[in-house]
Amino acid sequence: MNKLGYARKEKVKEFMSVTGATDKIALQFMKTNDWHLEGALEKYYSQEHIKEAIEKNRWEMLFNKYKDPNVDMILADGISRLCDDLQVDPQDIVMLVLSWELKAENICEFSKQEFIGGVQSLEIDSLETFKKTMPNLRAQLKDEDTFRDVYNFAFDWAREKTQKTLALETALALWHLLFAELEWPLIDQWCKFIQEHHNKAITRDVWLQLLEFARTVDATLSNYDAEGAWPCLLDDFVEYLYETGTCVKNSD
């Protein structure tokens, strides 16, 4: 490099300053691009491993913006800040869809692997693209299979990992959130029934079967089959609806 003229030395220095490359690499790219700085930079950044490193750095920066200062995770405070930046309520169902997309194991937290892997698959590399992605996540709930996947995911995501069941208060909050999206007319009666006549943790079977019940049984119970293989709790709910006059039992 000492043998170079002043102008070429300056170009090599500028290349190094922009890219962070060594003087040897800078010199190599400048020579092979006839000392055209813009051409050399374009060629440098077109390399696949360089592009990957730049993209990885973007994802790392996005993660670091919200991570907890003490652990390598995004916790409740970080998720709250992310929601503020995305202009989304933390209780909005779209955050549940995001957790499903990121394959989050626990409620109100994202590991580094979950977050970076998830935003990569969603092609998010900045806050701007994150904002643009949120309406698409919400729209996915219109698909019946996707809604079922998100609903099923919510059980394990929200339960205490030392328990096989889901805490009642957590289940009630999630049911209100999910069935508001589904517009199930009996959700309020169901939650009242559960609190008055069950009042304990929810099993996986009841969680899964409730969605099937809401989707297949008419709100008037006109097509309810008393001989169907519903969990006992759902059969009891039907009797509760008859007893309270919410629905009228078919005389046939």
Side-chain angles (χ1 to χ4, degrees):
M1 187 152 152
N2 290 334
K3 296 178 181 179
L4 297 177
Y6 176 78
R8 289 186 173 183
K9 279 185 180 179
E10 289 303 305
K11 285 185 176 181
V12 170
K13 286 179 182 178
E14 190 169 351
F15 185 98
M16 293 168 61
S17 174
V18 171
T19 63
T22 63
D23 57 350
K24 184 176 180 181
I25 290 174
L27 187 58
Q28 176 189 335
F29 274 88
M30 291 306 303
K31 283 181 176 179
T32 55
N33 287 276
D34 295 325
W35 296 97
H36 295 299
L37 182 60
E38 289 184 6
L41 289 171
E42 185 178 342
K43 193 72 173 178
Y44 177 81
Y45 284 121
S46 68
Q47 297 177 104
E48 198 59 38
H49 72 281
I50 297 296
K51 287 196 291 187
E52 288 176 2
I54 291 169
E55 291 301 317
K56 183 179 179 182
N57 188 50
R58 287 180 187 171
W59 296 317
E60 290 268 354
M61 287 173 64
L62 197 57
F63 173 77
N64 290 337
K65 181 177 173 63
Y66 303 106
K67 75 176 287 292
D68 187 87
N70 300 313
V71 293
D72 212 22
M73 299 185 73
I74 297 175
L75 302 181
D77 285 347
I79 291 174
S80 180
R81 295 198 309 275
L82 174 61
C83 288
D84 286 344
D85 289 344
L86 294 174
Q87 300 176 333
V88 170
D89 189 309
Q91 303 302 317
D92 193 312
I93 195 171
V94 75
M95 293 306 293
L96 172 56
V97 182
L98 176 63
S99 296
W100 170 70
E101 283 282 10
L102 301 190
K103 298 179 175 61
E105 287 191 9
N106 298 303
I107 191 170
C108 292
E109 64 180 54
F110 300 131
S111 70
K112 185 174 183 178
Q113 183 177 354
E114 289 168 351
F115 185 83
I116 291 182
V119 296
Q120 279 181 320
S121 67
L122 291 169
E123 299 182 353
I124 294 169
D125 61 5
S126 67
L127 188 58
E128 233 12 76
T129 54
F130 217 141
K131 286 180 180 178
K132 291 177 181 177
T133 299
M134 299 306 277
N136 297 332
L137 295 183
R138 191 187 305 280
Q140 289 188 69
L141 290 170
K142 300 300 180 186
D143 178 77
E144 187 172 316
D145 291 335
T146 299
F147 186 93
R148 181 183 290 108
D149 288 344
V150 172
Y151 180 90
N152 293 349
F153 160 83
F155 184 89
D156 284 323
W157 172 72
R159 71 178 171 86
E160 292 287 339
K161 296 305 178 277
T162 56
Q163 303 293 322
K164 291 183 178 180
T165 53
L166 183 62
L168 179 60
E169 289 305 313
T170 304
L172 290 169
L174 284 171
W175 275 328
H176 277 297
L177 185 70
L178 287 155
F179 283 113
E181 186 70 26
L182 198 61
E183 298 181 347
W184 185 39
L186 298 175
I187 182 58
D188 289 336
Q189 289 90 336
W190 167 257
C191 290
K192 185 178 180 183
F193 162 77
I194 282 292
Q195 289 174 293
E196 291 179 357
H197 299 275
H198 185 67
N199 199 30
K200 58 185 178 182
I202 303 301
T203 65
R204 185 187 301 276
D205 186 44
V206 168
W207 178 267
L208 298 179
Q209 288 297 314
L210 181 63
L211 177 61
E212 193 64 23
F213 182 91
R215 277 192 158 152
T216 59
V217 177
D218 186 87
T220 64
L221 305 183
S222 61
N223 63 340
Y224 169 70
D225 180 6
E227 302 300 317
W230 298 111
C232 291
L233 195 58
L234 282 167
D235 289 329
D236 291 344
F237 174 56
V238 169
E239 288 305 314
Y240 168 83
L241 292 175
Y242 290 145
E243 289 169 8
T244 57
T246 303
C247 297
V248 178
K249 185 177 289 191
N250 193 327
S251 57
D252 296 341

